[in-house]
Amino acid sequence: MTDAEDRKPQSDEARMAFMPPAGVEVGESESETTSEFALPKGLDALHPPAPESEGSAFSTPSAYSVEDAPPAFTPPGGIPMVSLTKDLPWQDRMRTMLRMPVTERPAPERMPRVEEEGPAVPRVLDLTLRIGELLLAGGEGAEDVEAAMFAVCRSYGLDRCEPNVTFTLLSISYQPSLVDDPVSAARTVRRRGTDYTRLAAVYRLVDDLSDPESHHLSLEEAYGRLAEIRRNRHPYPTWVLTGASGLLAGAASVLVGGDVIVFVAAMLGAMLGDRLAWLCAGRGLPEFYQFTVAAMPPAAIGIALTLAHVDVKASAVITGGLFALLPGRALVAGVQDGLTGFYITASARLLEVLYFFVGIVVGVLVILYFGVNLGAKLDPDAALNISDRPSWQIGASMLLSLTFAVLLQQERHTVLAVTLNGGVAWVVYGALHYAGDLSPVASTAVAAGLVGLFGQLMARYRFASALPYTTAAIGPLLPGSATYFGLLSIAQNKVDAGLVSLATAASLAMAIAIGVNLGSEISRLFLRIGSPEKRRAAKRTRGF
């Protein structure tokens, strides 16, 4: 018997049935029990079997294979079927998987083994983090960044991975099985830049990696394409960006009631502010001071025209300059992250928006304070006459969206679509607010909702990001006039009226962000996304 059997207590059933009575001695030959399967004496086995070592009840069996094992846990309702067909964007396919727990995600079909081994797990995770870094630095929402990272890992066979995105940190963890140690990697986002052309190139790379029907890209090919994306220069030179900034401010001034002189003045102020901001950026000043300096020239030109008794609307000049600085892109991304459950990232983005807004406030307030003390007659109660020129406003809104798209470094084939989307947004806003007497907040929310809906539809058609089709289109809806009148009231010691106007501006900004996100979610709600379990898998909490 083995040592383990020696430690076990002998029961009565384990004894021989024909035991001799007590007191009866048994000979030596009779005391040995034999079996008919025992080897005869004198015959030795060639290879006696080694005794089996006593292991733990939780150890992995020797015949167990992790790759061929069934799922570790089966949900009570069964594993949901998820269609991963090519006719659906990879964002929807990966978002469906991400919103499920790891144990409920359907494993990909096992391909027959080949002699060559797959790529190393750390290299796949590094590629995933680099792709996520470009997306997050370009302003993409946290949920879409996680979906892209999950798509890259899954394309190389790493289906049990968990990406995590915050405002400046990307991390990902991969666990081959429940009995293997996980592998984790992280990367910090140091620099941010707005380049939607680069963003679209990264989306095409992820689409090619996640396409099961196309030729699968090797890890070296994916690294090569990623290096080309990083090396590509911006599609528009610096002088074009400066001119686009001026045209944006001029179009915004016409949108709020300005004439030709106001258009030129707002354009010159915005271009001067843009050049000063670039100068500050070259000296290494933080973005807070860049926004402060960029907000001063439009306000200074408006004050100068007022002091010179030129018959122009100084408020339209200053408002046009503010349109070129309001951080609508960061605001929409921050609210979208909050609505999708990424509260830490949303808080950081909204705090960034707050700092930018405070920088604009400081720059404009400094100029307004000196202008009021010098005798500039600025009336915060003056209403902007913007309702009696609908054709001019529609043209100005489309020009504003076009120049905004150029500032965002969008691809040229997307500029026309976003320009039309911005014109539709202003038409809807004007019809609801001026013709229908609806409140500006509600009108802005409805118009922004249509922007998000149309942008998501165009993005799904091209399997691309929705940001190039929505961000520039919300430009005409930004609360530039409410921000200016609030700052002017504060500069004239009318703090209560100023805070009310700034609160209205904040409400309009939130209406824009929520409307864009709601429009995107409506498109995902009613359009086919490939799985009847999609909405069920999207549930996160019931409030308790």
Side-chain angles (χ1 to χ4, degrees):
M1 293 189 295
T2 61
D3 296 337
E5 292 174 348
D6 292 338
R7 295 197 302 269
K8 296 179 182 179
Q10 295 292 332
S11 62
D12 294 338
E13 296 178 356
R15 298 176 182 175
M16 183 177 177
F18 301 97
M19 293 296 292
V24 178
E25 297 181 358
V26 182
E28 181 179 357
S29 61
E30 297 177 357
S31 62
E32 297 179 359
T33 59
T34 59
S35 172
E36 58 183 5
F37 298 102
L39 293 175
K41 291 183 178 181
L43 182 60
D44 297 332
L46 296 178
H47 299 286
E52 184 178 355
S53 60
E54 182 182 5
S56 171
F58 300 97
S59 61
T60 305
S62 59
Y64 177 80
S65 175
V66 175
E67 296 182 356
D68 300 330
F73 300 100
T74 301
I79 298 178
M81 295 296 296
V82 179
S83 174
L84 301 180
T85 56
K86 181 62 181 68
D87 59 342
L88 302 172
W90 62 264
Q91 301 98 306
D92 290 337
R93 289 181 277 153
M94 296 304 114
R95 190 181 290 109
T96 303
M97 305 291 293
L98 269 178
R99 289 179 174 180
M100 294 181 182
V102 178
T103 56
E104 296 185 9
R105 293 175 186 169
E109 296 181 1
R110 295 293 179 183
M111 301 299 294
R113 291 188 178 183
V114 294
E115 296 181 358
E116 299 181 358
E117 296 182 356
V121 172
R123 293 195 65 196
V124 175
L125 298 184
D126 178 71
L127 175 67
T128 302
L129 290 174
R130 291 179 183 273
I131 290 177
E133 178 189 10
L134 285 181
L135 293 176
L136 187 62
E140 190 60 86
E143 187 178 32
D144 292 326
V145 175
E146 284 195 357
M149 295 172 64
F150 185 73
V152 175
C153 286
R154 191 175 176 84
S155 65
Y156 288 104
L158 309 184
D159 56 300
R160 297 180 61 89
C161 63
E162 282 294 336
N164 187 23
V165 176
T166 58
F167 185 59
T168 57
L169 181 64
L170 299 169
S171 62
I172 190 168
S173 177
Y174 169 67
Q175 188 172 11
S177 68
L178 296 177
V179 297
D180 292 329
D181 295 332
V183 181
S184 300
R187 191 173 182 87
T188 302
V189 180
R190 300 289 184 185
R191 300 181 61 185
R192 298 178 181 274
T194 304
D195 190 343
Y196 282 1
T197 299
R198 179 178 297 175
L199 188 71
V202 176
Y203 261 72
R204 286 192 293 268
L205 174 59
V206 178
D207 186 33
D208 293 340
L209 287 173
S210 59
D211 185 5
E213 298 179 0
S214 64
H215 175 67
H216 185 67
L217 294 176
S218 65
L219 200 62
E220 287 72 19
E221 292 174 341
Y223 266 111
R225 287 185 55 177
L226 189 63
E228 292 179 0
I229 293 173
R230 286 181 174 273
R231 286 195 299 265
N232 284 343
R233 299 178 61 86
H234 298 308
Y236 305 104
T238 304
W239 65 270
V240 173
L241 298 180
T242 302
S245 178
L247 290 176
L248 190 153
S253 65
V254 174
L255 197 66
V256 294
D259 52 12
V260 177
I261 299 178
V262 172
F263 180 91
V264 175
M267 184 177 66
L268 292 177
M271 293 174 64
L272 181 59
D274 180 76
R275 287 293 87 199
L276 290 177
W278 277 101
L279 181 63
C280 294
R283 297 296 184 269
L285 289 178
E287 287 185 297
F288 175 85
Y289 301 105
Q290 297 177 28
F291 274 82
T292 302
V293 172
M296 289 182 176
I301 291 179
I303 295 296
L305 292 175
T306 302
L307 293 176
H309 302 288
V310 179
D311 187 15
V312 295
K313 292 183 178 181
S315 57
V317 175
I318 301 175
T319 300
L322 292 179
F323 265 87
L325 298 176
L326 293 177
R329 173 184 59 86
L331 175 67
V332 172
V335 175
Q336 179 181 357
D337 288 341
L339 294 176
T340 52
F342 295 84
Y343 301 113
I344 297 178
T345 308
S347 301
R349 288 186 188 271
L350 293 178
L351 185 61
E352 180 188 38
V353 172
L354 178 61
Y355 271 100
F356 291 163
F357 189 76
V358 170
I360 297 172
V361 168
V362 171
V364 175
L365 274 181
V366 169
I367 301 300
L368 290 180
Y369 179 78
F370 283 105
V372 171
N373 289 335
L374 291 176
K377 298 186 180 299
L378 301 173
D379 186 8
D381 297 328
L384 294 176
N385 186 17
I386 59 178
S387 60
D388 56 350
R389 298 186 305 172
S391 58
W392 283 89
Q393 267 78 49
I394 294 174
S397 65
M398 296 180 67
L399 178 61
L400 193 153
S401 298
L402 188 149
T403 53
F404 201 176
V406 173
L407 289 177
L408 294 174
Q409 304 280 359
Q410 292 189 195
E411 294 178 304
R412 289 178 172 85
H413 66 83
T414 64
V415 172
L416 178 60
V418 73
T419 300
L420 295 177
N421 202 9
V424 171
W426 181 258
V427 169
V428 173
Y429 172 79
L432 294 177
H433 179 55
Y434 299 114
D437 292 331
L438 197 64
S439 67
V441 176
S443 303
T444 301
V446 174
L450 290 178
V451 168
L453 177 61
F454 294 155
Q456 190 63 230
L457 291 177
M458 287 184 280
R460 287 175 61 87
Y461 176 73
R462 296 184 176 272
F463 288 11
S465 172
L467 289 180
Y469 300 99
T470 58
T471 305
I474 65 173
L477 304 177
L478 293 176
S481 58
T483 303
Y484 162 72
F485 285 121
L487 298 179
L488 180 60
S489 298
I490 294 176
Q492 294 180 346
N493 293 326
K494 300 178 181 179
V495 180
D496 294 338
L499 292 179
V500 170
S501 184
L502 292 180
T504 302
S507 300
L508 292 173
M510 292 296 295
I512 293 173
I514 295 175
V516 170
N517 180 263
L518 182 60
S520 301
E521 291 297 329
I522 288 176
S523 67
R524 298 192 187 107
L525 179 65
F526 291 103
L527 294 179
R528 186 173 62 89
I529 56 177
S531 171
E533 305 290 339
K534 174 64 165 64
R535 303 317 301 178
R536 185 187 67 83
K539 294 179 180 177
R540 291 181 173 85
T541 178
R542 295 181 181 274
F544 52 81

